[in-house]
Amino acid sequence: MFVTFALVQLNDPDPEIWVPVYLAAAVLCFLAFKRKLFRWVYALAFVVFGIGAFLLWPPVYQGITMDMDHTPAIEQARESLGLLICALAMAYCFLLEWKYRA
């Protein structure tokens, strides 16, 4: 899923930011599946993605379905929700590691 997110970002105005973000989430999820990292890595990634989602959240939420030409808040909301999805995936990876190591 995150690899697909990264590919979709290639035509974004700022792919140099979002492609690595989504690819990092993809790699972390893959490593969780292979059980190669410690829980604290996923906890840290959860915090980083969560803070990013919080900081990018637009001051006024105007939805995510309108065209980006209407207002930059639409793009901010989309980017924020993408980071929130990454944070939730890291929480899931953390729980997987917790289960496997317990």
Side-chain angles (χ1 to χ4, degrees), residues 10 23 30-31 40-41 44 46 50 72 78 80 90 94-95:
L10 290 175
L23 289 179
F30 177 75
L31 292 174
W40 67 268
V41 174
L44 179 63
F46 170 79
R78 290 177 183 168
S80 182
M90 295 305 107
F94 177 85
L95 293 174

Side-chain angles (χ1 to χ4, degrees), residues 19-35:
V19 171
V21 166
Y22 289 126
L23 289 179
V27 168
L28 288 170
C29 288
F30 177 75
L31 292 174
F33 176 71
K34 292 291 193 177
R35 292 184 270 173

Side-chain angles (χ1 to χ4, degrees), residues 29-38 42 96-97 100-101:
C29 288
F30 177 75
L31 292 174
F33 176 71
K34 292 291 193 177
R35 292 184 270 173
K36 297 287 185 187
L37 293 177
F38 297 105
Y42 300 109
L96 281 179
E97 277 301 310
Y100 289 132
R101 304 244 185 222

Side-chain angles (χ1 to χ4, degrees), residues 51-90:
I51 289 172
F54 177 77
L55 293 175
L56 277 177
W57 190 255
V60 177
Y61 179 74
Q62 298 175 338
I64 58 171
T65 58
M66 290 193 314
D67 214 7
M68 287 188 304
D69 296 335
H70 290 85
T71 175
I74 304 294
E75 180 67 9
Q76 283 181 313
R78 290 177 183 168
E79 291 170 347
S80 182
L81 290 174
L83 288 175
L84 182 62
I85 292 169
C86 290
L88 292 174
M90 295 305 107

Side-chain angles (χ1 to χ4, degrees), residues 1-10 18-19 22-23 81-82 85-86:
M1 174 178 77
F2 290 120
V3 172
T4 304
F5 285 4
L7 291 174
V8 171
Q9 295 301 314
L10 290 175
W18 297 104
V19 171
Y22 289 126
L23 289 179
L81 290 174
I85 292 169
C86 290

